[in-house]
């Protein structure tokens, strides 16, 4: 079996948790992977992306098939590969779309300008009506290309981003 000590960060109380297996599905910075000593190899260079989460009325989004309610799209642009994901959301009774954009950042990009209202409007303009968008957040993420040398050690498994990451 597997035994794990867990400390409640609010109360400081420590309890023992036991089980037949432990699944380390705890993300790219996996504590489980580190504790069991699973190494990782870099498969390629890390890539920075500007992540922009926003809401917009469906009709203000770039032209898409009428029956499309959600989905992920890859924009094949050699100068700035982009992903955008459409998710349905209701906002005060009005159907709005929650949209996430992931824009690859290039050497020499001015991150401060790109995250300003003007910069966000420039980068979003090809995809939506910027006069009607509600930007909820923007941040820079670093995407890695990594793979763990081993995904299992006895009854302990690392899964998802804890064992493999792609740009």
């Amino acid at each position: 079996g597997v035994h794990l000590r867990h400390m409640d960060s609010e109360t400081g109380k420590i309890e023992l948790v036991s089980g037949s297996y432990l699944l380390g599905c705890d993300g790219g910075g996996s504590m489980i992977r580190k504790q069991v000593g699973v190494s990782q190899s870099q498969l390629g260079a890390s890539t920075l992306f500007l992540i922009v989460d926003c809401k917009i009325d469906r009709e203000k989004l770039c032209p898409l098939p009428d029956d499309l309610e959600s989905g992920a799209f890859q924009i094949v642009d050699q100068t700035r590969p982009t992903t955008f994901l459409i998710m349905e959301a209701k906002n005060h009774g009005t159907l709005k779309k929650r949209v996430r954009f992931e824009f690859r950042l290039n050497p020499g990009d001015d991150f401060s300008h790109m995250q300003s209202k003007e910069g966000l409007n420039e980068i979003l303009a090809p995809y939506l009506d910027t006069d009607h968008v509600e930007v909820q957040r923007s941040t820079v993420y670093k995407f890695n290309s990594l793979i763990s040398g081993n995904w299992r050690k006895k009854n302990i498994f690392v899964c998802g981003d804890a064992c493999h990451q792609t740009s």
Side-chain angles (χ1 to χ4, degrees):
V2 178
H3 305 284
L4 180 72
R5 282 189 303 205
H6 172 265
M7 182 175 82
D8 185 313
S9 59
E10 290 183 17
T11 65
K13 181 181 176 187
I14 297 176
E15 54 187 353
L16 182 63
V17 180
S18 297
S20 298
Y21 300 93
L22 173 63
L23 301 180
C25 308
D26 53 341
S30 176
M31 179 208 50
I32 302 298
R33 184 188 66 243
K34 292 173 187 170
Q35 289 296 311
V36 297
V38 173
S39 64
Q40 287 191 304
S41 300
Q42 183 122 9
L43 298 176
S46 298
T47 308
L48 296 175
F49 278 81
L50 174 64
I51 308 301
V52 183
D53 291 332
C54 51
K55 284 186 180 178
I56 189 160
D57 290 328
R58 172 67 168 85
E59 63 274 6
K60 304 295 184 186
L61 203 52
C62 62
L64 295 168
D66 289 336
D67 61 346
L68 183 66
E69 292 301 324
S70 63
F73 302 87
Q74 297 288 316
I75 310 301
V76 182
D77 176 353
Q78 290 181 356
T79 59
R80 190 174 308 282
T82 300
T83 299
F84 86 93
L85 301 102
I86 303 172
M87 300 154 278
E88 204 166 15
K90 289 195 182 224
N91 184 17
H92 304 294
T94 303
L95 190 60
K96 293 205 176 253
K97 291 292 182 185
R98 246 180 358 123
V99 183
R100 167 171 281 186
F101 287 89
E102 299 176 354
F103 299 100
R104 187 190 71 196
L105 295 173
N106 297 315
D109 279 343
D110 180 347
F111 299 179
S112 297
H113 171 73
M114 292 180 79
Q115 288 188 272
S116 70
K117 181 167 179 52
E118 179 182 280
L120 289 170
N121 283 346
E122 289 169 9
I123 202 163
L124 291 170
Y127 308 103
L128 45 77
D129 183 341
T130 57
D131 292 334
H132 295 90
V133 68
E134 175 191 338
V135 173
Q136 296 177 300
R137 85 178 178 122
S138 67
T139 189
V140 174
Y141 280 2
K142 180 179 179 182
F143 290 102
N144 298 300
S145 293
L146 302 168
I147 192 159
S148 293
N150 188 356
W151 297 15
R152 175 183 180 189
K153 188 168 187 179
K154 297 183 182 177
N155 306 24
I156 302 171
F157 297 83
V158 288
C159 310
D161 282 355
C163 64
H164 59 84
Q165 299 172 40
T166 59
S167 293

